[in-house]
Amino acid sequence: GTGSDRSRAETQVQISASDVSDVTLQLAPGVDIVGTRHCEAAERSGYRMPCGFNAHLAGNGQEERYFANASRDGDFKFDRVLPGEYRIEIFAMGGYVSAITAGGVDLLATHKLVIHPGATAAPIDVWMRDDGAQIEGTVELDGLKSGTQILLTPEFPAAAGPQISPVQPDGKFQFMNLAPGDYSLYAFTKLDDIEYSNPQVLRGYAMGGTVRVAAREHQNVKIRSLAR
């Protein structure tokens, strides 16, 4: 079917020289996956953490994609998710994601969510904090090209993977609301044709620098070489 009436069925079939018959498929409908956002705000007088995010499920080797936004009360839902294996990513707004769990499984470490046919999906819990770090810096290159971008990649399990910041005409760039940890930085004049979410691909390029940040820390870096 289409829309909310979609179902899926899978089975293994061994192909030989003869015809295959009597193959039975049992269609499994999609399931709703509910979740709750938890905001862990620092003690600051008169400050209210924005604590919002967009959530994304992408099927491995499938066309299936699902999206959800946290409501004002912190509830969110993926509608009618078909059975399969999915990668989950959370894009924070106003803070950073410190933990993602479902049924006791650490989804921040694996990013993998498996929906089994006929099974009830465990609720997803997302924890956010507002004591993020900040990395800013300057690209110091002769003849800095317009359109140069800085790629920031976390060297630890992160909610949404690499981030990109445009380089201003004066060479400045900035990343905010970062989770504590180690990061690598790359300066690219063009990112369109690079699979930068793949760590194996990035190993073929020269880093512009590395930096470690703690909660609420502000680090300033200088990049003097392009990724080649």
Side-chain angles (χ1 to χ4, degrees):
T2 60
S4 61
D5 295 326
R6 291 179 303 168
S7 301
R8 170 176 292 153
E10 295 181 2
T11 191
Q12 292 185 346
V13 177
Q14 184 173 356
I15 304 299
S16 62
S18 58
D19 294 338
V20 178
S21 61
D22 297 326
V23 176
T24 301
L25 293 174
Q26 183 175 355
L27 292 172
V31 298
D32 292 342
I33 306 175
V34 299
T36 304
R37 175 204 63 203
H38 309 272
C39 302
E40 299 178 320
E43 294 295 332
R44 303 182 197 175
S45 176
Y47 176 81
R48 179 176 175 82
M49 177 182 177
C51 196
F53 66 76
N54 297 320
H56 176 207
L57 287 180
N60 289 342
Q62 307 170 37
E63 294 298 325
E64 302 299 335
R65 292 181 180 272
Y66 303 88
F67 301 89
N69 299 317
S71 69
R72 184 181 296 272
D73 296 329
D75 299 324
F76 64 95
K77 184 175 73 169
F78 293 105
D79 294 314
R80 310 291 283 180
V81 179
L82 294 175
E85 182 176 308
Y86 296 89
R87 176 177 175 82
I88 182 169
E89 291 186 328
I90 306 290
F91 300 89
M93 297 177 288
Y96 69 89
V97 176
S98 59
I100 311 170
T101 63
V105 177
D106 183 358
L107 297 182
L108 192 59
T110 65
H111 283 273
K112 186 170 69 174
L113 181 67
V114 179
I115 306 300
H116 297 285
T120 300
I124 299 173
D125 288 287
V126 177
W127 279 266
M128 295 184 65
R129 295 185 60 84
D130 69 341
D131 56 355
Q134 180 177 333
I135 297 174
E136 63 180 26
T138 307
V139 177
E140 297 183 344
L141 291 171
D142 293 334
L144 180 64
K145 292 184 178 181
S146 174
T148 297
Q149 296 172 299
I150 301 300
L151 178 70
L152 182 76
T153 62
E155 300 299 330
F156 58 92
Q163 298 186 40
I164 298 171
S165 172
V167 177
Q168 303 303 317
D170 60 358
K172 303 290 187 183
F173 63 89
Q174 184 182 61
F175 296 93
M176 301 181 67
N177 297 321
L178 297 173
D182 295 325
Y183 293 86
S184 298
L185 297 100
Y186 301 80
F188 286 95
T189 55
K190 186 178 181 181
L191 269 170
D192 296 345
D193 301 325
I194 299 174
E195 190 185 356
Y196 55 81
S197 60
N198 186 339
Q200 298 292 336
V201 171
L202 285 181
R203 288 194 179 97
Y205 293 89
M207 284 188 297
T210 59
V211 63
R212 174 177 294 177
V213 290
R216 300 185 186 174
E217 186 174 10
H218 180 177
Q219 286 273 14
N220 196 294
V221 298
K222 296 184 185 299
I223 295 181
R224 299 184 172 91
S225 63
L226 290 172
R228 301 182 185 279

